[in-house]
């Protein structure tokens, strides 16, 4: 080939940028099955950790792959900033996903199909989208020789969907040196848009999240023949207790973060919102009402039942599993009310518990979020909110790191974003990914 032909071919080749490759990065990650069943039976995160490491090593970084158990791997790397005297920033994401049944989906959940302007698949919003956006931004900055203003630590983590024992918790306990000098962090479930009207689009930044108590309930009864009357049937006693709990509504509790969100929403809508009349408030929130509604109370949802081994045998024991979530500052109240509802016959055993966390919505990092969002969306307004679930931020807070949920996405108003999490047909708009890349890049420059 002539020198002129080679030059013409290079000129014709499209320039690779963070925006141009983010969808492909997201698809690649989705195609790596990292289903976390919570019992160690899944494929693990090793392949995803190696993929991430390869993408970063391509531009000269030396990421570490740390395996906490066979196949349970996380990838961590530090990128030197212009001013190394400044505290570092952690950008973290998890690579594991909850399981998916392909028969229920429009497209195979591990195909990474692009259709209707979206990347489809398990992890598209939880949270391989943010993993891909982070990789795309960092690769582009390395490609163009742009250093961040301060050190960045990137962590792509295992096991978040089962509480982080083999991921963030392991790294915090066994390798805290990886996060030396880091004072702030951004992670998942924040920075997504909610369009109020043609003048205002709110971007919800997570500044708080509920704590968790995953528990097993047990009732002991009198075993016997199924044909006999039995006034001490463990299944009956347990089912009555579980039904009481499932129908119980914990009292309304307006936390500092929820109050701040309501104040911002009131200002955006130009109406006074009454915290004692949350039904009316939730009606104006459309698709995000589910996410906000569950941050108004403690919750305890029965999720599993187990008892017996033969149809004509009354078992001596029955069990149930419950997913309990409590608001910041209300753990003791939650547990006391829980026991009151269950009654004295039910034995409660903790399977996994973790704290609620909360930080204020202020400071230079928040200003950087606002600046980056407004630069890409003139009607953007960042507001704080409380997440009803939990993230790896719980572990990183133990290192004194101030954590926010900020994975920016501009979403079409009709998309049921809350329904994407752990749901069927999970998907993320391609344009939303590109928007996120632009915002994250500006955010890194401004922070």
């Amino acid at each position: 080939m002539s020198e002129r032909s080679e030059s013409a071919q290079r000129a014709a080749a499209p320039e690779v940028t963070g925006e141009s490759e983010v969808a492909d990065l997201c698809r690649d990650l989705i195609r790596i099955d990292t289903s976390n069943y919570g019992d160690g039976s899944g494929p693990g995160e090793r392949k995803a950790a190696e993929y991430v490491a390869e993408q970063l090593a391509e531009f000269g970084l030396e990421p570490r792959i740390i395996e906490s158990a066979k196949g349970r791997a996380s990838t961590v790397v530090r990128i030197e900033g212009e001013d190394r005297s400044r505290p570092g920033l952690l950008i973290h994401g998890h690579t594991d996903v909850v399981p998916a049944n392909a028969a229920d989906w429009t497209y195979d959940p591990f195909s990474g199909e692009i259709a209707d302007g979206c990347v489809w698949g398990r992890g598209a919003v939880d949270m391989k989208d943010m993993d891909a956006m982070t990789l795309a931004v960092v690769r582009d900055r390395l490609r163009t020789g742009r250093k961040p203003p301060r050190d960045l630590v990137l962590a792509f983590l295992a096991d978040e969907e089962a509480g982080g024992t083999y991921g963030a918790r392991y790294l915090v306990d066994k390798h805290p040196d990886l996060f030396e000098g880091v004072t702030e962090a951004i992670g998942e479930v924040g920075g997504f848009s909610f369009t109020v009207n043609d003048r205002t689009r709110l971007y919800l930044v997570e500044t708080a999240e509920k704590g968790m108590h995953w528990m097993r309930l047990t009732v002991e009864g009198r075993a016997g023949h199924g044909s006999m009357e039995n006034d001490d049937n463990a299944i009956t006693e347990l089912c009555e207790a579980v039904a009481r709990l499932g129908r119980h509504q914990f009292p309304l509790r307006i936390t500092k973060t929820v109050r701040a969100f309501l104040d911002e929403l009131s200002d955006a809508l130009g109406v006074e919102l009454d915290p004692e009349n949350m039904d009316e408030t939730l009606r104006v929130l459309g698709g995000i009402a589910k996410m906000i509604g569950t941050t108004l109370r403690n919750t305890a949802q029965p999720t599993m039942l187990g008892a017996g081994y033969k149809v004509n045998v009354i078992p001596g024991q029955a069990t149930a599993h419950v997913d309990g979530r409590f608001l910041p500052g209300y753990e003791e109240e939650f547990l006391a009310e829980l026991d009151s509802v269950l009654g004295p016959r039910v034995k409660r055993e903790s399977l996994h518990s973790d704290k609620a966390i909360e930080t204020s919505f202020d400071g230079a990092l928040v200003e950087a979020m606002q600046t980056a969002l407004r630069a890409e969306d003139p009607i953007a307004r960042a507001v704080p909110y409380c997440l009803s679930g939990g993230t790896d931020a719980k572990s990183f807070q133990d290192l004194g790191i101030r954590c926010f949920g900020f994975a920016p996405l501009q979403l079409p108003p009709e998309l049921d974003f809350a329904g994407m999490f752990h749901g069927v047909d999970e998907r993320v708009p391609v344009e939303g990914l590109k928007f996120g890349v632009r915002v994250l890049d500006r955010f890194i420059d401004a922070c």
Side-chain angles (χ1 to χ4, degrees), residues 142-153:
L142 293 169
R143 187 186 293 117
T144 55
R146 293 180 294 135
K147 267 191 169 185
R150 55 169 163 162
D151 278 14
L152 297 181
V153 175

Side-chain angles (χ1 to χ4, degrees), residues 367-390:
E367 291 175 9
M369 295 176 193
Q370 297 268 24
T371 299
L373 286 167
R374 285 196 186 118
E376 295 298 331
D377 182 1
I379 63 171
R381 179 171 181 168
V383 299
Y385 91 107
C386 176
L387 177 66
S388 60

Side-chain angles (χ1 to χ4, degrees), residues 132-145:
M133 290 190 295
T134 302
L135 284 174
V137 169
V138 169
R139 282 167 56 86
D140 193 65
R141 296 182 73 92
L142 293 169
R143 187 186 293 117
T144 55

Side-chain angles (χ1 to χ4, degrees), residues 411-446:
L411 303 168
E414 66 275 10
L415 183 70
D416 180 14
F417 184 63
M420 297 292 104
F421 288 83
H422 299 190
V424 173
D425 285 345
E426 183 180 350
R427 59 196 182 276
V428 63
V430 172
E431 290 305 314
L433 291 172
K434 293 179 179 179
F435 173 85
V437 166
R438 296 194 301 271
V439 171
L440 280 176
D441 193 41
R442 289 181 181 275
F443 168 74
I444 289 171
D445 279 337

